[in-house]
Amino acid sequence: MGLGILLACTVALGGCGQSAQTGTEGTEQTQTVELYPTKQIEYVVPYSAGGGVDLVARAAADYLSKEWGQPIVVVNKAGGGGTVGAEYALKQARPDGYTVLATNNSNTSMLAGGMTNPEIKIEDNTFVAKLGEGTLAFVVKGDAPWKDFREFSEWVQQNPEQLTWTSVGPAGFSAFGVAEWLKAIGVDMQKTRMIVTKGASDSLPKVAGGHAVLAVHTVGEAHAMAASGKVRIIAVSGTARSEFLPDVPTAQEQGVDGLTVKWWTGISVPNGTPESIRAQWEAAVKKMVNDSAFQQKLREIQVEPVFAGSEDFTNEINKETEYYTKLATERGFRK
């Protein structure tokens, strides 16, 4: 018996196929509880296939399809930096648990931080759970002249107008990673130039071809091209080296402190989704993220399995939004 049916039975009190009888003396009320899920679920990824959010969503959909005995279909609805798919999942779909959104920084905290009036707002989401994180990687051309991140940062301090970097836009993951780094080394972000791309599959070839100096992506997104030698990862963010790139030193090790921007992905549902369904998703994601086989699948795509339940996840996003709003305002790229 799948987890979905087991939970539904628990809620029904009287067991599967039965009704719960409640009421005061002399009265009897019958409460019918609908089982969930009983049909196909649409797992909306608001980005193109092949990126980090998409790959994690497909791993999760495969696991939960087997767990619940119902098909979970990943649907890619790219565009607008993640807002097209988010609007579909959160505003157009029925709040019945059969449409969920693969959410991440770019369509939540970074979108709210980078734009004064975004199409999708934080409060449009009911956050279910976080299920993975990714370390930020600074990527340059494979034969770039800088031997390490310290030397590269010094070059940028002396030649900010020569720095070109890629991002899907001012609210993108890369923009916040670059902004935080430039602030740390005392460089005016407005003197550098952003090159708008469609994501890692577009920006990394631009760096490899010499059409942009820097790309900032997750370790997982940059790993394959770095392994080919076409690009080189010269630093990762955070206070510890990435488990997937143990030989690449952190920015902190190379004299640049305070880089905290990280990538994450999770699940949200439309407001008005029944609380019992939200709770069922949260419990299932927690079980999934603690499953060793699922953890291995994430590590194969260089994503760190990390769980946060609905309340903690929501609090994290709210705090992150405050920080990104301040950062974007200070660095002059909030639109």
Side-chain angles (χ1 to χ4, degrees):
M1 184 179 291
L3 177 61
I5 295 177
L6 283 173
L7 288 174
C9 293
T10 301
V11 173
L13 301 179
C16 286
Q18 298 182 18
S19 299
Q21 296 180 342
T22 61
T24 57
E25 186 177 352
T27 65
E28 187 175 277
Q29 298 175 345
T30 301
Q31 179 184 3
T32 301
V33 180
E34 183 179 351
L35 299 180
Y36 173 88
T38 59
K39 61 181 181 180
Q40 177 175 296
I41 297 170
E42 195 172 46
Y43 195 150
V44 179
V45 174
Y47 306 102
S48 301
V53 175
D54 176 74
L55 293 175
V56 172
R58 291 180 186 278
D62 181 63
Y63 181 97
L64 293 173
S65 292
K66 296 173 182 175
E67 182 76 8
W68 286 341
Q70 294 293 342
I72 300 178
V73 179
V74 173
V75 179
N76 297 92
K77 290 185 178 293
T83 60
V84 172
E87 184 170 14
Y88 167 79
L90 299 176
K91 293 186 175 182
Q92 297 176 24
R94 294 180 60 186
D96 57 5
Y98 290 97
T99 303
V100 302
L101 175 67
T103 189
N104 83 322
N105 314 64
S106 294
N107 57 25
T108 55
S109 55
M110 289 178 174
L111 184 63
M115 301 184 70
T116 55
N117 188 31
E119 294 180 38
I120 298 297
K121 297 178 172 56
I122 297 295
E123 53 268 28
D124 292 327
N125 295 265
T126 292
F127 295 106
V128 174
K130 176 168 67 176
L131 54 92
E133 292 182 351
T135 301
L136 175 151
F138 289 83
V139 185
V140 296
K141 191 176 179 182
D143 60 357
W146 311 286
K147 68 177 183 295
D148 56 29
F149 192 57
R150 185 191 301 272
E151 189 174 290
F152 177 60
S153 295
E154 290 172 351
W155 176 81
V156 172
Q157 287 172 325
Q158 298 167 8
N159 306 279
E161 69 285 345
Q162 294 185 43
L163 175 64
T164 54
W165 49 277
T166 60
S167 178
V168 295
F173 172 79
S174 302
F176 284 89
V178 169
E180 189 177 53
W181 162 58
L182 292 178
K183 179 181 178 181
I185 64 174
V187 171
D188 183 355
M189 189 175 182
Q190 301 306 311
K191 292 183 178 180
T192 69
R193 183 164 65 91
M194 177 180 70
I195 298 175
V196 177
T197 66
K198 297 177 182 178
S201 61
D202 182 22
S203 70
L204 290 171
K206 280 183 168 57
V207 171
H211 305 295
V213 172
L214 174 70
V216 178
H217 289 289
T218 64
V219 166
E221 289 173 324
H223 187 271
M225 191 166 284
S228 73
K230 295 179 180 178
V231 298
R232 180 159 51 96
I233 299 174
I234 55 175
V236 295
S237 64
T239 58
R241 295 191 182 193
S242 167
E243 64 177 280
F244 308 113
L245 294 173
D247 295 331
V248 177
T250 66
Q252 188 176 55
E253 288 179 80
Q254 302 181 73
V256 182
D257 295 328
L259 302 193
T260 64
V261 174
K262 62 184 176 182
W263 174 95
W264 53 257
T265 187
I267 296 171
S268 65
V269 293
N271 292 333
T273 299
E275 170 60 18
S276 60
I277 291 177
R278 184 213 57 76
Q280 185 172 324
W281 268 92
E282 181 180 358
V285 172
K286 183 176 183 179
K287 178 183 178 182
M288 177 176 68
V289 175
N290 287 324
D291 184 278
S292 59
F294 181 76
Q295 290 177 355
Q296 179 59 32
K297 282 193 173 183
L298 291 197
R299 289 194 167 96
E300 288 172 2
I301 55 175
Q302 290 81 48
V303 172
E304 303 159 27
V306 177
F307 175 80
S310 183
E311 183 176 355
D312 290 340
F313 189 30
T314 301
N315 289 337
E316 285 180 19
I317 292 170
N318 288 335
K319 290 179 181 178
E320 196 174 76
T321 300
E322 290 180 13
Y323 173 68
Y324 289 151
T325 300
K326 182 179 179 181
L327 179 63
T329 301
E330 288 178 349
R331 306 308 290 171
F333 68 97
R334 191 164 198 250
K335 304 300 182 183

